[in-house]
Amino acid sequence: MWGCGFVILCLVAIAQVEGINDDELSEDEEGIVEEDLSDYIAEGDILYKTLWKPKDCAGPTDDGDDVTMVMEYYGQKEDGTEVEMEHALTTKIGRGQTIRSKGDGLFGMCLGEHRRLVIPQHVMRNKYKQILPGILDSVNTYLEVEVTKINQMSWHKFESGLLMAMLEPVESEYCSRTVVAGDTLAVEYEGTL
């Protein structure tokens, strides 16, 4: 009788240990989060999804525009550690440029718009590896992009959460004084609570 109880106890203990091991991730599986790509839009080999877009679109980016974008991605520092990196890229959009008119997931973006791109490995090696320092070369690379400047228009984010688009540069001949710290400003805005 004691023998049967001991055998059953051993089988239960083995079953519990096997169940624990099934939940553990291998090194290759760690950090991988499956994402539903059905709500992404295909543009050439690249998929993209708009994460945020201003209500009123200033822009959008078009052929010949000078554009500055802030790109966030996972990269590798010189010491080999993997970290989230940020890189500002200023380029012209159009044929023969770093960002072509179509097929890169970046054409037609509004000032301040934020997109997530899914870039396949062959595109990563041919293009983005050259312009984004330290970017990791994986099967599908996720890249988050925000347009901060289109020609003379610029997008600003403040610590307070205020988002501001400057649609025209301030020309010094029309402005004898600029705003300095300590000034009180009157701001007109539209919003909902």
Side-chain angles (χ1 to χ4, degrees):
M1 175 132 177
W2 284 97
C4 289
F6 180 71
V7 171
I8 291 173
L9 182 62
C10 288
L11 290 174
V12 170
I14 291 171
Q16 286 179 349
V17 169
E18 286 179 3
I20 290 171
N21 289 338
D22 290 341
D23 293 339
E24 292 179 13
L25 298 175
S26 70
E27 283 186 30
D28 293 336
E29 295 171 321
E30 271 188 47
I32 297 174
V33 177
E34 293 293 325
E35 185 172 2
D36 179 16
L37 299 178
S38 64
D39 48 338
Y40 279 73
I41 297 168
E43 189 174 290
D45 289 334
I46 295 176
L47 299 174
Y48 75 88
K49 174 170 75 172
T50 299
L51 301 175
W52 186 84
K53 186 176 185 175
K55 182 180 174 183
D56 297 317
C57 181
T61 56
D62 201 1
D63 274 337
D65 285 343
D66 291 313
V67 178
T68 300
M69 296 170 271
V70 175
M71 300 184 167
E72 293 179 3
Y73 55 93
Y74 282 98
Q76 191 170 39
K77 296 189 329 186
E78 290 179 12
D79 65 2
T81 57
E82 293 180 10
V83 295
E84 191 169 324
M85 301 180 107
E86 185 176 284
H87 180 69
L89 173 68
T90 301
T91 187
K92 187 178 279 296
I93 290 185
R95 282 194 181 150
Q97 303 297 325
T98 305
I99 307 298
R100 300 178 310 233
S101 299
K102 302 238 181 200
D104 289 329
L106 301 169
F107 186 71
M109 287 183 73
C110 300
L111 185 64
E113 184 174 342
H114 195 153
R115 286 185 184 175
R116 179 178 296 133
L117 308 180
V118 180
I119 305 169
Q121 195 170 33
H122 70 279
V123 175
M124 178 59 64
R125 288 184 179 151
N126 293 336
K127 179 181 226 167
Y128 289 91
K129 199 108 170 116
Q130 300 167 13
I131 60 175
L132 297 175
I135 193 161
L136 294 176
D137 188 6
S138 56
V139 176
N140 281 329
T141 300
Y142 289 83
L143 177 69
E144 292 198 10
V145 179
E146 181 180 27
V147 174
T148 57
K149 190 171 183 183
I150 303 174
N151 299 322
Q152 297 299 315
M153 298 183 294
S154 57
W155 183 254
H156 305 273
K157 291 193 301 189
F158 297 93
E159 287 181 26
S160 65
L162 175 68
L163 303 172
M164 182 176 72
M166 294 196 53
L167 303 180
E168 298 176 12
V170 177
E171 297 180 22
S172 59
E173 64 187 67
Y174 300 111
C175 184
S176 60
R177 180 181 177 277
T178 59
V179 177
V180 295
D183 285 352
T184 301
L185 302 175
V187 178
E188 185 178 323
Y189 67 93
E190 291 180 28
T192 56
L193 297 176

